[in-house]
Amino acid sequence: MKKNLLQDKRVHEGIAYIKSTFSNTIITISDKQGNCLTWATGGSSGFKGPRRGSAYAAQASAEIVSKKIKDAGINSLVVEVQGFGDGREAAIRGLASHGIRISSVRDSTAVSHGGCKLQKKRRL
């Protein structure tokens, strides 16, 4: 049987990983060691198609996650945001509006730089 970390542990602080793409927003809550406690997406909130990537779907996912972690006793989160989607700020606001204290927000979006310059073409 699968072990439910959310019921077994009593943690007060956690980490919220928000991955926001143009087609979906994934919110994952873990403890300080990195063990996943709960998660929600725009699709699991009941949205289909292009509405999954909207800011409203991200806020609805944040509401679902915040209800679950409130029951577990988590009242403070460190937020790590990744991606360029519409649900970045909406997910953070959705968590904060349900009484969860956000201690810091960190953006870990990878920025491509185009790579190294190619070698000059050889002339014969």
Side-chain angles (χ1 to χ4, degrees), residues 7-58:
Q7 292 175 348
D8 293 347
K9 288 188 169 188
R10 278 299 190 199
V11 291
H12 300 291
E13 292 182 354
I15 304 171
Y17 297 99
I18 300 172
K19 182 175 169 74
S20 179
T21 64
F22 292 114
S23 59
N24 208 352
T25 302
I26 303 168
I27 304 171
T28 306
I29 308 292
S30 68
D31 58 1
K32 290 289 185 177
Q33 287 75 34
N35 300 318
C36 180
L37 300 175
T38 185
W39 59 272
T41 65
S44 68
S45 302
F47 296 94
K48 294 187 186 280
R51 292 182 58 202
R52 284 188 318 182
S54 67
Y56 183 70

Short mmCIF file of all heavy atoms in Angstrom, two decimals, residues 7-58:
data_model
loop_
_atom_site.label_atom_id
_atom_site.label_comp_id
_atom_site.label_asym_id
_atom_site.label_seq_id
_atom_site.Cartn_x
_atom_site.Cartn_y
_atom_site.Cartn_z
N GLN A 7 -0.36 12.54 5.64
CA GLN A 7 -1.02 12.15 6.88
C GLN A 7 -0.03 11.73 7.95
O GLN A 7 -0.27 11.93 9.13
CB GLN A 7 -2.00 11.00 6.61
CG GLN A 7 -3.17 11.41 5.78
CD GLN A 7 -4.05 10.22 5.44
OE1 GLN A 7 -3.68 9.08 5.63
NE2 GLN A 7 -5.23 10.50 4.90
N ASP A 8 1.10 11.13 7.55
CA ASP A 8 2.05 10.62 8.52
C ASP A 8 2.89 11.71 9.16
O ASP A 8 3.24 11.62 10.34
CB ASP A 8 3.00 9.61 7.86
CG ASP A 8 2.27 8.36 7.44
OD1 ASP A 8 1.11 8.18 7.88
OD2 ASP A 8 2.82 7.58 6.66
N LYS A 9 3.23 12.75 8.42
CA LYS A 9 4.14 13.77 8.92
C LYS A 9 3.39 14.98 9.43
O LYS A 9 2.33 15.32 8.94
CB LYS A 9 5.09 14.22 7.81
CG LYS A 9 6.12 13.21 7.46
CD LYS A 9 7.09 13.83 6.51
CE LYS A 9 8.28 12.93 6.35
NZ LYS A 9 9.33 13.56 5.59
N ARG A 10 3.98 15.63 10.39
CA ARG A 10 3.50 16.92 10.85
C ARG A 10 4.62 17.91 10.60
O ARG A 10 5.54 18.05 11.39
CB ARG A 10 3.13 16.90 12.33
CG ARG A 10 1.76 16.35 12.59
CD ARG A 10 0.76 17.21 11.91
NE ARG A 10 -0.59 16.88 12.29
CZ ARG A 10 -1.62 17.23 11.59
NH1 ARG A 10 -1.47 17.87 10.48
NH2 ARG A 10 -2.82 16.94 11.97
N VAL A 11 4.57 18.59 9.47
CA VAL A 11 5.58 19.57 9.12
C VAL A 11 4.94 20.95 9.15
O VAL A 11 3.74 21.11 8.92
CB VAL A 11 6.20 19.29 7.73
CG1 VAL A 11 7.04 18.04 7.76
CG2 VAL A 11 5.13 19.16 6.68
N HIS A 12 5.74 21.96 9.47
CA HIS A 12 5.22 23.32 9.56
C HIS A 12 5.71 24.20 8.41
O HIS A 12 5.13 25.23 8.14
CB HIS A 12 5.62 23.94 10.89
CG HIS A 12 5.08 23.18 12.06
ND1 HIS A 12 3.75 23.13 12.37
CD2 HIS A 12 5.70 22.40 12.97
CE1 HIS A 12 3.57 22.36 13.43
NE2 HIS A 12 4.74 21.90 13.81
N GLU A 13 6.80 23.77 7.77
CA GLU A 13 7.35 24.53 6.64
C GLU A 13 7.49 23.60 5.45
O GLU A 13 7.73 22.41 5.60
CB GLU A 13 8.71 25.11 6.99
CG GLU A 13 8.67 26.19 8.03
CD GLU A 13 10.04 26.77 8.31
OE1 GLU A 13 11.03 26.24 7.77
OE2 GLU A 13 10.11 27.74 9.05
N GLY A 14 7.36 24.17 4.26
CA GLY A 14 7.49 23.37 3.06
C GLY A 14 8.02 24.20 1.91
O GLY A 14 8.27 25.40 2.04
N ILE A 15 8.19 23.53 0.78
CA ILE A 15 8.66 24.18 -0.44
C ILE A 15 7.60 23.98 -1.51
O ILE A 15 7.12 22.86 -1.71
CB ILE A 15 10.00 23.57 -0.91
CG1 ILE A 15 11.05 23.66 0.18
CG2 ILE A 15 10.49 24.29 -2.16
CD1 ILE A 15 12.31 22.89 -0.13
N ALA A 16 7.21 25.05 -2.18
CA ALA A 16 6.24 24.99 -3.27
C ALA A 16 6.98 25.19 -4.58
O ALA A 16 7.61 26.22 -4.79
CB ALA A 16 5.17 26.06 -3.10
N TYR A 17 6.92 24.18 -5.44
CA TYR A 17 7.51 24.26 -6.77
C TYR A 17 6.39 24.54 -7.76
O TYR A 17 5.45 23.76 -7.88
CB TYR A 17 8.21 22.96 -7.14
CG TYR A 17 9.37 22.61 -6.26
CD1 TYR A 17 9.22 21.71 -5.22
CD2 TYR A 17 10.61 23.20 -6.44
CE1 TYR A 17 10.28 21.39 -4.39
CE2 TYR A 17 11.67 22.89 -5.63
CZ TYR A 17 11.50 21.98 -4.60
OH TYR A 17 12.56 21.68 -3.79
N ILE A 18 6.47 25.68 -8.45
CA ILE A 18 5.46 26.06 -9.43
C ILE A 18 6.11 26.06 -10.80
O ILE A 18 7.00 26.86 -11.07
CB ILE A 18 4.87 27.45 -9.11
CG1 ILE A 18 4.21 27.44 -7.73
CG2 ILE A 18 3.87 27.86 -10.18
CD1 ILE A 18 3.78 28.80 -7.26
N LYS A 19 5.68 25.13 -11.66
CA LYS A 19 6.19 25.08 -13.03
C LYS A 19 5.07 25.54 -13.94
O LYS A 19 4.04 24.87 -14.08
CB LYS A 19 6.63 23.67 -13.39
CG LYS A 19 7.21 23.57 -14.79
CD LYS A 19 7.74 22.19 -15.05
CE LYS A 19 8.07 21.98 -16.48
NZ LYS A 19 9.25 22.61 -16.94
N SER A 20 5.28 26.69 -14.55
CA SER A 20 4.23 27.31 -15.34
C SER A 20 4.64 27.31 -16.81
O SER A 20 5.58 28.00 -17.20
CB SER A 20 4.01 28.74 -14.85
OG SER A 20 3.02 29.36 -15.61
N THR A 21 3.94 26.53 -17.61
CA THR A 21 4.17 26.52 -19.05
C THR A 21 3.00 27.22 -19.72
O THR A 21 2.06 27.67 -19.06
CB THR A 21 4.31 25.08 -19.57
OG1 THR A 21 3.06 24.40 -19.37
CG2 THR A 21 5.41 24.33 -18.87
N PHE A 22 3.05 27.30 -21.04
CA PHE A 22 1.96 27.95 -21.76
C PHE A 22 0.73 27.07 -21.84
O PHE A 22 -0.36 27.56 -22.13
CB PHE A 22 2.42 28.34 -23.16
CG PHE A 22 3.46 29.43 -23.14
CD1 PHE A 22 4.74 29.18 -23.56
CD2 PHE A 22 3.15 30.70 -22.67
CE1 PHE A 22 5.70 30.17 -23.54
CE2 PHE A 22 4.11 31.69 -22.63
CZ PHE A 22 5.38 31.44 -23.07
N SER A 23 0.87 25.76 -21.56
CA SER A 23 -0.28 24.87 -21.67
C SER A 23 -0.75 24.30 -20.33
O SER A 23 -1.80 23.69 -20.28
CB SER A 23 0.05 23.70 -22.61
OG SER A 23 1.15 23.00 -22.12
N ASN A 24 0.00 24.51 -19.24
CA ASN A 24 -0.41 23.97 -17.95
C ASN A 24 0.40 24.63 -16.83
O ASN A 24 1.44 25.21 -17.08
CB ASN A 24 -0.19 22.45 -17.91
CG ASN A 24 -1.14 21.75 -16.97
OD1 ASN A 24 -1.87 22.39 -16.23
ND2 ASN A 24 -1.14 20.44 -17.00
N THR A 25 -0.09 24.52 -15.62
CA THR A 25 0.63 24.97 -14.43
C THR A 25 0.63 23.83 -13.42
O THR A 25 -0.42 23.32 -13.06
CB THR A 25 -0.04 26.21 -13.81
OG1 THR A 25 -0.07 27.24 -14.80
CG2 THR A 25 0.74 26.70 -12.61
N ILE A 26 1.82 23.43 -12.97
CA ILE A 26 1.97 22.33 -12.03
C ILE A 26 2.47 22.88 -10.71
O ILE A 26 3.51 23.54 -10.67
CB ILE A 26 2.95 21.28 -12.58
CG1 ILE A 26 2.49 20.78 -13.95
CG2 ILE A 26 3.10 20.13 -11.60
CD1 ILE A 26 3.52 19.97 -14.68
N ILE A 27 1.74 22.62 -9.64
CA ILE A 27 2.13 23.07 -8.30
C ILE A 27 2.42 21.84 -7.46
O ILE A 27 1.54 21.00 -7.27
CB ILE A 27 1.02 23.91 -7.64
CG1 ILE A 27 0.66 25.10 -8.54
CG2 ILE A 27 1.44 24.38 -6.26
CD1 ILE A 27 -0.56 25.85 -8.09
N THR A 28 3.64 21.73 -6.95
CA THR A 28 4.05 20.60 -6.13
C THR A 28 4.52 21.13 -4.79
O THR A 28 5.33 22.04 -4.73
CB THR A 28 5.20 19.82 -6.80
OG1 THR A 28 4.81 19.47 -8.13
CG2 THR A 28 5.54 18.58 -6.01
N ILE A 29 4.02 20.53 -3.71
CA ILE A 29 4.43 20.91 -2.36
C ILE A 29 5.25 19.78 -1.78
O ILE A 29 4.85 18.62 -1.81
CB ILE A 29 3.21 21.18 -1.44
CG1 ILE A 29 2.25 22.18 -2.09
CG2 ILE A 29 3.66 21.64 -0.08
CD1 ILE A 29 2.76 23.56 -2.22
N SER A 30 6.43 20.12 -1.25
CA SER A 30 7.29 19.12 -0.63
C SER A 30 7.75 19.63 0.72
O SER A 30 7.63 20.83 1.03
CB SER A 30 8.50 18.82 -1.52
OG SER A 30 9.34 19.94 -1.59
N ASP A 31 8.30 18.71 1.52
CA ASP A 31 8.89 19.14 2.79
C ASP A 31 10.32 19.62 2.53
O ASP A 31 10.78 19.67 1.40
CB ASP A 31 8.82 18.02 3.83
CG ASP A 31 9.52 16.76 3.37
OD1 ASP A 31 10.09 16.76 2.26
OD2 ASP A 31 9.50 15.77 4.11
N LYS A 32 11.02 19.98 3.59
CA LYS A 32 12.37 20.54 3.44
C LYS A 32 13.36 19.52 2.89
O LYS A 32 14.38 19.89 2.32
CB LYS A 32 12.88 21.07 4.78
CG LYS A 32 12.17 22.31 5.25
CD LYS A 32 12.56 23.48 4.38
CE LYS A 32 11.93 24.74 4.92
NZ LYS A 32 12.34 25.91 4.17
N GLN A 33 13.09 18.23 3.05
CA GLN A 33 13.98 17.20 2.53
C GLN A 33 13.73 16.91 1.05
O GLN A 33 14.50 16.21 0.42
CB GLN A 33 13.85 15.89 3.32
CG GLN A 33 14.46 15.94 4.70
CD GLN A 33 13.62 16.73 5.68
OE1 GLN A 33 12.39 16.72 5.61
NE2 GLN A 33 14.27 17.43 6.59
N GLY A 34 12.63 17.40 0.49
CA GLY A 34 12.32 17.19 -0.91
C GLY A 34 11.30 16.10 -1.16
O GLY A 34 11.03 15.76 -2.32
N ASN A 35 10.72 15.52 -0.13
CA ASN A 35 9.68 14.50 -0.29
C ASN A 35 8.37 15.16 -0.69
O ASN A 35 7.89 16.05 0.00
CB ASN A 35 9.49 13.71 1.00
CG ASN A 35 10.74 13.02 1.44
OD1 ASN A 35 11.46 12.45 0.63
ND2 ASN A 35 11.04 13.09 2.72
N CYS A 36 7.79 14.71 -1.78
CA CYS A 36 6.55 15.29 -2.29
C CYS A 36 5.39 14.98 -1.34
O CYS A 36 5.15 13.83 -1.00
CB CYS A 36 6.26 14.76 -3.69
SG CYS A 36 4.75 15.41 -4.39
N LEU A 37 4.68 16.02 -0.94
CA LEU A 37 3.53 15.84 -0.06
C LEU A 37 2.22 15.84 -0.84
O LEU A 37 1.37 15.00 -0.63
CB LEU A 37 3.50 16.96 1.00
CG LEU A 37 4.72 17.03 1.92
CD1 LEU A 37 4.60 18.24 2.82
CD2 LEU A 37 4.85 15.77 2.72
N THR A 38 2.06 16.79 -1.74
CA THR A 38 0.86 16.87 -2.55
C THR A 38 1.15 17.70 -3.80
O THR A 38 2.14 18.41 -3.87
CB THR A 38 -0.31 17.49 -1.77
OG1 THR A 38 -1.49 17.43 -2.57
CG2 THR A 38 -0.03 18.90 -1.36
N TRP A 39 0.27 17.59 -4.78
CA TRP A 39 0.43 18.35 -6.02
C TRP A 39 -0.93 18.57 -6.66
O TRP A 39 -1.91 17.89 -6.34
CB TRP A 39 1.36 17.62 -7.00
CG TRP A 39 0.89 16.26 -7.39
CD1 TRP A 39 1.15 15.10 -6.74
CD2 TRP A 39 0.02 15.93 -8.47
NE1 TRP A 39 0.53 14.05 -7.36
CE2 TRP A 39 -0.17 14.53 -8.44
CE3 TRP A 39 -0.59 16.65 -9.48
CZ2 TRP A 39 -0.96 13.88 -9.37
CZ3 TRP A 39 -1.37 15.99 -10.41
CH2 TRP A 39 -1.54 14.62 -10.34
N ALA A 40 -0.98 19.54 -7.57
CA ALA A 40 -2.18 19.80 -8.35
C ALA A 40 -1.77 20.49 -9.64
O ALA A 40 -0.75 21.17 -9.70
CB ALA A 40 -3.16 20.69 -7.58
N THR A 41 -2.56 20.30 -10.68
CA THR A 41 -2.31 20.93 -11.97
C THR A 41 -3.59 21.59 -12.46
O THR A 41 -4.66 21.42 -11.87
CB THR A 41 -1.86 19.90 -13.02
OG1 THR A 41 -2.94 18.98 -13.25
CG2 THR A 41 -0.63 19.14 -12.57
N GLY A 42 -3.45 22.33 -13.54
CA GLY A 42 -4.64 22.93 -14.14
C GLY A 42 -5.58 21.87 -14.68
O GLY A 42 -6.79 22.02 -14.64
N GLY A 43 -5.02 20.76 -15.18
CA GLY A 43 -5.85 19.67 -15.69
C GLY A 43 -6.55 18.91 -14.59
O GLY A 43 -7.70 18.48 -14.75
N SER A 44 -5.88 18.71 -13.44
CA SER A 44 -6.52 17.99 -12.34
C SER A 44 -7.58 18.85 -11.64
O SER A 44 -8.40 18.33 -10.90
CB SER A 44 -5.48 17.53 -11.31
OG SER A 44 -4.92 18.64 -10.65
N SER A 45 -7.56 20.15 -11.90
CA SER A 45 -8.58 21.04 -11.33
C SER A 45 -9.86 21.05 -12.15
O SER A 45 -10.81 21.72 -11.78
CB SER A 45 -8.03 22.46 -11.22
OG SER A 45 -6.88 22.47 -10.43
N GLY A 46 -9.85 20.35 -13.28
CA GLY A 46 -11.06 20.25 -14.08
C GLY A 46 -11.05 21.05 -15.36
O GLY A 46 -12.05 21.10 -16.07
N PHE A 47 -9.93 21.70 -15.69
CA PHE A 47 -9.85 22.49 -16.91
C PHE A 47 -9.29 21.65 -18.04
O PHE A 47 -8.43 20.82 -17.83
CB PHE A 47 -8.97 23.72 -16.68
CG PHE A 47 -9.53 24.67 -15.67
CD1 PHE A 47 -9.15 24.59 -14.34
CD2 PHE A 47 -10.45 25.64 -16.03
CE1 PHE A 47 -9.66 25.45 -13.40
CE2 PHE A 47 -10.96 26.50 -15.09
CZ PHE A 47 -10.58 26.41 -13.77
N LYS A 48 -9.78 21.89 -19.24
CA LYS A 48 -9.33 21.14 -20.41
C LYS A 48 -8.91 22.12 -21.51
O LYS A 48 -9.38 23.24 -21.57
CB LYS A 48 -10.43 20.23 -20.93
CG LYS A 48 -10.80 19.13 -19.97
CD LYS A 48 -11.78 18.19 -20.63
CE LYS A 48 -12.26 17.15 -19.65
NZ LYS A 48 -11.35 16.08 -19.44
N GLY A 49 -8.02 21.63 -22.36
CA GLY A 49 -7.60 22.42 -23.51
C GLY A 49 -6.76 23.63 -23.13
O GLY A 49 -5.97 23.59 -22.19
N PRO A 50 -6.93 24.72 -23.86
CA PRO A 50 -6.10 25.89 -23.60
C PRO A 50 -6.40 26.59 -22.27
O PRO A 50 -5.60 27.40 -21.81
CB PRO A 50 -6.41 26.82 -24.77
CG PRO A 50 -7.63 26.29 -25.41
CD PRO A 50 -7.76 24.86 -25.03
N ARG A 51 -7.53 26.27 -21.64
CA ARG A 51 -7.85 26.90 -20.35
C ARG A 51 -6.96 26.38 -19.23
O ARG A 51 -6.90 27.00 -18.17
CB ARG A 51 -9.32 26.64 -20.01
CG ARG A 51 -10.25 27.37 -20.96
CD ARG A 51 -11.68 27.17 -20.60
NE ARG A 51 -11.95 27.60 -19.23
CZ ARG A 51 -12.97 27.17 -18.51
NH1 ARG A 51 -13.81 26.30 -19.02
NH2 ARG A 51 -13.15 27.61 -17.29
N ARG A 52 -6.29 25.22 -19.44
CA ARG A 52 -5.40 24.67 -18.41
C ARG A 52 -4.24 25.61 -18.10
O ARG A 52 -3.76 25.67 -16.98
CB ARG A 52 -4.82 23.33 -18.85
CG ARG A 52 -5.76 22.21 -18.76
CD ARG A 52 -5.06 20.92 -19.01
NE ARG A 52 -4.12 21.03 -20.13
CZ ARG A 52 -3.40 20.05 -20.60
NH1 ARG A 52 -3.50 18.86 -20.06
NH2 ARG A 52 -2.59 20.22 -21.60
N GLY A 53 -3.78 26.34 -19.10
CA GLY A 53 -2.64 27.23 -18.91
C GLY A 53 -3.01 28.63 -18.46
O GLY A 53 -2.15 29.49 -18.35
N SER A 54 -4.28 28.86 -18.18
CA SER A 54 -4.71 30.20 -17.81
C SER A 54 -4.37 30.51 -16.36
O SER A 54 -4.07 29.63 -15.56
CB SER A 54 -6.23 30.34 -18.02
OG SER A 54 -6.93 29.51 -17.11
N ALA A 55 -4.44 31.78 -16.03
CA ALA A 55 -4.16 32.21 -14.67
C ALA A 55 -5.25 31.74 -13.70
O ALA A 55 -4.97 31.42 -12.54
CB ALA A 55 -4.04 33.73 -14.62
N TYR A 56 -6.47 31.65 -14.18
CA TYR A 56 -7.57 31.20 -13.33
C TYR A 56 -7.41 29.73 -12.94
O TYR A 56 -7.67 29.34 -11.80
CB TYR A 56 -8.91 31.41 -14.05
CG TYR A 56 -10.09 31.04 -13.21
CD1 TYR A 56 -10.45 31.80 -12.11
CD2 TYR A 56 -10.85 29.91 -13.49
CE1 TYR A 56 -11.52 31.45 -11.31
CE2 TYR A 56 -11.92 29.55 -12.72
CZ TYR A 56 -12.26 30.33 -11.63
OH TYR A 56 -13.32 29.98 -10.85
N ALA A 57 -6.94 28.91 -13.88
CA ALA A 57 -6.70 27.49 -13.59
C ALA A 57 -5.57 27.33 -12.58
O ALA A 57 -5.62 26.47 -11.71
CB ALA A 57 -6.38 26.74 -14.87
N ALA A 58 -4.54 28.18 -12.67
CA ALA A 58 -3.44 28.13 -11.71
C ALA A 58 -3.91 28.52 -10.32
O ALA A 58 -3.51 27.92 -9.32
CB ALA A 58 -2.31 29.05 -12.17
#
